[in-house]
């Protein structure tokens, strides 16, 4: 990942004439990413930073496409800068998925430190909600997805008969359709499962 970003940075720096200002935008974003600590269990949080950087690059790519180069050489430079921008976006999207998986692993570890049969019903419901924030459709690592599912089942099995229906409806509501989600957001009682776009 780092080599890919360095390659994009070095390529961007080669545009010192017409697209010098444009190359500076790409360089700034790559520098920001390279300055960050490598993704790990502690720093992988849904803070929206990578998504914001990807959005910024997407806007930059759109602006590049709208620019009218004055010559064939400028057109080639613009095309190369556009290609490097897309390459950098792809690298950031890969990092975003990686951070999501690390976050999911950390959520699982937090929950499985507890011995479920020893927990109160309130603690169990809290653990269930914590793991339910993970969107299993976004967990591309099969073993991790299996362990999360297993932990959810273990928590559910320890819930009493009054809380099991509440846990089920909580999970069902996480899958609300678009209009129901929007209405629930306005009523301040809906929080969708996290996805890589939250990172």
């Amino acid at each position: 990942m780092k080599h890919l970003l360095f390659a994009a940075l070095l390529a961007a720096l080669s545009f010192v004439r017409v697209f010098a200002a444009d190359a500076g935008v790409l360089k700034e974003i790559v520098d920001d990413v390279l300055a960050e600590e490598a993704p790990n269990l502690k720093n992988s949080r849904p803070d929206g930073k990578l998504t914001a950087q990807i959005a910024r690059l997407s806007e930059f790519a759109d602006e590049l496409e709208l620019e009218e180069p004055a010559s064939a050489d400028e057109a080639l430079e613009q095309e190369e800068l556009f290609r490097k921008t897309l390459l950098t976006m792809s690298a950031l999207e890969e990092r975003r998925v990686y951070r999501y998986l690390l976050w999911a692993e950390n959520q699982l570890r937090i929950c499985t430190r507890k011995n479920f049969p020893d927990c109160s019903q309130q603690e169990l419901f809290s653990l269930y909600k914590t793991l339910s924030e993970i969107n299993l459709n976004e967990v591309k690592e099969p073993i991790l997805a299996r362990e999360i599912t297993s932990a959810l089942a273990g928590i559910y099995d320890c819930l009493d008969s009054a809380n099991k229906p509440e846990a089920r409806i909580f999970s069902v509501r996480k899958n609300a359709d678009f209009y129901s989600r929007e209405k629930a957001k306005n009523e301040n009682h809906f929080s969708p499962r996290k996805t890589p776009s939250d990172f």
Side-chain angles (χ1 to χ4, degrees):
M1 169 80 72
K2 208 163 190 177
H3 295 303
L4 187 62
L5 292 171
F6 269 122
L9 172 58
L10 292 174
L13 289 175
S14 69
F15 299 101
V16 294
R17 294 181 306 154
V18 176
F19 297 101
D22 291 341
V25 172
L26 181 58
K27 178 188 181 304
E28 183 183 327
I29 292 171
V30 173
D31 283 347
D32 287 347
V33 174
L34 293 176
E36 291 176 3
E37 185 181 11
N40 58 48
L41 291 171
K42 289 184 179 178
N43 69 16
S44 295
R45 296 178 298 276
D47 56 15
K49 287 182 181 177
L50 283 170
T51 295
Q53 288 169 327
I54 292 167
R56 189 173 169 204
L57 283 171
S58 180
E59 285 177 23
F60 175 58
D62 290 343
E63 289 169 10
L64 272 179
E65 282 193 304
L66 293 174
E67 284 185 22
E68 289 293 335
S71 68
D73 285 345
E74 287 181 15
L76 286 174
E77 289 179 351
Q78 183 176 346
E79 185 179 319
E80 184 65 8
L81 185 54
F82 181 77
R83 188 181 75 78
K84 294 301 183 183
T85 301
L86 296 184
L87 183 66
T88 305
M89 284 174 65
S90 176
L92 292 183
E93 286 165 356
E94 185 180 353
R95 175 170 275 198
R96 186 169 65 171
V97 169
Y98 182 45
R99 281 191 182 275
Y100 186 81
L101 293 176
L102 287 169
W103 170 78
E105 169 65 26
N106 194 45
Q107 296 295 96
L108 176 64
R109 289 183 184 195
I110 289 168
C111 290
T112 54
R113 285 186 195 127
K114 301 277 190 179
N115 183 29
F116 301 148
D118 295 338
C119 292
S120 69
Q121 290 296 300
Q122 186 176 0
E123 287 176 306
L124 287 168
F125 213 96
S126 178
L127 293 172
Y128 190 84
K129 286 181 175 180
T130 296
L131 282 184
S132 293
E133 291 302 310
I134 301 168
N135 188 332
L136 288 170
N137 293 327
E138 301 286 352
V139 178
K140 306 302 182 191
E141 175 52 50
I143 299 301
L144 178 57
R146 187 183 77 180
E147 289 299 314
I148 293 167
T149 303
S150 175
L152 277 167
I155 295 167
Y156 179 82
D157 288 344
C158 292
L159 288 170
D160 61 28
S161 57
N163 281 320
K164 283 184 177 179
E166 288 301 313
R168 291 195 304 270
I169 198 64
F170 177 82
S171 293
V172 167
R173 286 182 177 144
K174 289 284 187 183
N175 298 297
D177 64 274
F178 174 79
Y179 293 108
S180 298
R181 284 198 311 265
E182 289 305 303
K183 183 179 179 189
K185 278 182 190 174
N186 294 335
E187 295 167 3
N188 296 318
H189 63 75
F190 179 78
S191 169
R193 287 188 172 97
K194 301 289 186 237
T195 68
S197 65
D198 292 300
F199 287 73

